[in-house]
């Protein structure tokens, strides 16, 4: 009888023991990190819809490494680096997530589907009510997007890669990196969305460090005139005009602008069944699969690229500076309005919809349950999305010319 080789039966353990020490420790570390992300997502510390599938995917892909014919190590999830057509057609029939990755992730479709869902969640009335305030806060919250680009370039990254990682501060990193940094867009995207998930748990500490309790507890006096409620026709007109103008100015980002504003138009047109589908199954399904794909892309071999360490530092720096910029913008509005403004609203301008707006309201409600800043926070949040998309379009258009 032929002897059983336990190493061939339990290949996950076998490949772990056979790997270089760096790969072995990286795989173990990523498995533990994935389990931690699932736990933190379940507890609500991090955004559960992204972090739970991302964490489990990260743990599974690093545990499920097997030996292919010829002695090569790999997995049956997906191969993000495949480029040859014949090889891709073969892998599409083997790796179960390869079709989703190839046909939705690597071409930006999944980002556009999520943008459509975000569009159905937006109430343009918050922007139209206080457009200048929302625009000012949104620009302040893009500080990380502008500041990290020269920092990244000084650290040895190319202008295109610098622009891509800088967009972590504006949350448009998937679209930007697909257009500017195809060679390293996988690690850039993984780093970006990992940090964007962490904003849910990290930004409250930044706000408490920069804004004292007496200012966090400010209850803004209502305006003398009630906030004007705009009709659905006005909101649709605004969305259509903005979409056409932005597509004319920045054709390279036309899919993003179209996706965002078609969501707004569907919502305001009263197409309830379509709106329910886009804002429900499509948005949550796309976000769920985005989390899974990001998790399985966290393969130890991919993330051990020396460039990833720079991306880790620059990604957190971009989000940190953007958060600081938003809060500083909130302080400027506080002084401009002579104290009748809560500076915490500034953090909502970081375009992580609607996470940062909810974070801002939660922080304020903790210190003063009677303070309601959500309408102003949502206005800044929505304008932050539009501003980030515009900056992404500018980067994609201008940076290749440098």
């Amino acid at each position: 009888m032929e002897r059983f080789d336990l190493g061939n039966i339990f290949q996950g353990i076998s490949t772990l023991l056979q790997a270089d020490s760096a790969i072995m420790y990286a795989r173990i570390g990523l498995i533990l990190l994935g389990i931690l992300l699932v736990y933190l997502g379940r507890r609500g510390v991090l955004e559960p819809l992204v972090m739970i599938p991302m964490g489990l995917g990260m743990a599974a892909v690093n545990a499920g490494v097997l030996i292919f014919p010829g002695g090569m190590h790999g997995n049956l999830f997906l191969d993000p680096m495949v480029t040859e057509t014949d090889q891709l057609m073969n892998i599409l029939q083997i790796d179960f997530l390869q079709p989703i990755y190839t046909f939705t992730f690597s071409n930006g479709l999944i980002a556009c589907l999520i943008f459509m869902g975000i569009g159905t969640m937006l109430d343009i009335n918050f922007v139209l009510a206080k457009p200048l305030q929302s625009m000012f806060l949104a620009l302040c919250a893009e500080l990380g997007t502008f500041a990290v680009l020269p920092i990244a370039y000084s650290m040895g990254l190319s202008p295109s890669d610098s622009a891509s990682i800088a967009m972590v501060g504006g949350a448009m990193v998937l679209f930007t990196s697909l257009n500017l940094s195809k060679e390293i867009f996988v690690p850039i995207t993984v780093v970006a969305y990992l940090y964007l998930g962490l904003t849910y748990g990290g930004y409250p500490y930044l706000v408490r460090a920069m804004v004292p309790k007496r200012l966090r507890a400010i209850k803004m006096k209502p305006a003398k005139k009630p906030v004007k409620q705009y009709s659905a026709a006005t909101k649709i007109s605004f969305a259509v005009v903005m979409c056409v103008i932005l597509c004319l100015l920045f054709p390279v980002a036309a899919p993003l602008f179209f996706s965002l504003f078609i969501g707004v138009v569907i919502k305001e047109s009263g197409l309830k069944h379509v709106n329910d589908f886009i804002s429900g199954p499509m948005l949550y399904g796309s976000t769920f699969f985005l989390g899974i794909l990001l998790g399985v892309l966290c393969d130890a071999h991919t993330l051990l690229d020396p460039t990833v360490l720079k991306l880790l530092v620059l990604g957190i720096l971009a989000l940190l500076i953007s958060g600081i910029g938003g809060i500083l913008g909130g302080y400027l509005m506080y002084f401009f309005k002579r104290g009748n403004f809560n500076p915490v609203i500034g953090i909502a301008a970081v375009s992580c919809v609607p996470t940062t707006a909810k974070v801002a309201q939660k922080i304020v409600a903790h210190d003063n349950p009677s303070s309601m800043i959500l309408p102003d926070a949502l206005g800044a949040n929505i304008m932050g999305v539009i501003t980030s998309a515009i900056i992404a379009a500018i980067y994609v258009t201008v940076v290749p010319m440098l």
Side-chain angles (χ1 to χ4, degrees), residues 240-281:
V240 170
V241 171
M242 283 293 293
C243 181
V244 171
I245 290 175
L246 291 173
C247 288
L248 280 170
L249 293 175
F250 309 108
V252 71
L256 273 185
F257 296 129
F258 169 78
S259 299
L260 179 67
F261 289 113
I262 192 65
V264 174
V265 172
I266 290 295
K267 175 187 177 182
E268 299 300 337
S269 296
L271 301 175
K272 185 177 184 303
H273 296 299
V274 180
N275 184 75
D276 290 346
F277 168 72
I278 295 175
S279 62

Side-chain angles (χ1 to χ4, degrees), residues 83-163:
T83 54
E84 296 181 6
T85 305
D86 291 342
Q87 188 182 6
L88 175 60
M89 292 303 295
N90 183 49
I91 292 177
L92 282 170
Q93 301 174 66
I94 299 172
D95 293 357
F96 87 107
L97 285 174
Q98 193 72 43
I100 298 174
Y101 174 82
T102 301
F103 299 122
T104 68
F105 189 87
S106 62
N107 60 6
L109 173 61
I110 200 165
C112 290
L113 294 178
I114 290 173
F115 247 51
M116 285 187 195
I118 290 173
T120 62
M121 295 165 58
L122 302 184
D123 188 346
I124 297 297
N125 200 83
F126 293 125
V127 175
L128 295 175
K130 299 177 181 178
L132 295 180
Q133 172 184 301
S134 298
M135 189 182 302
F136 173 75
L137 292 173
L139 286 171
C140 290
E142 294 294 339
L143 183 60
T145 306
F146 296 120
V148 167
L149 193 154
I151 296 173
Y153 185 70
S154 69
M155 292 176 65
L157 296 184
S158 68
S160 295
D161 293 346
S162 300

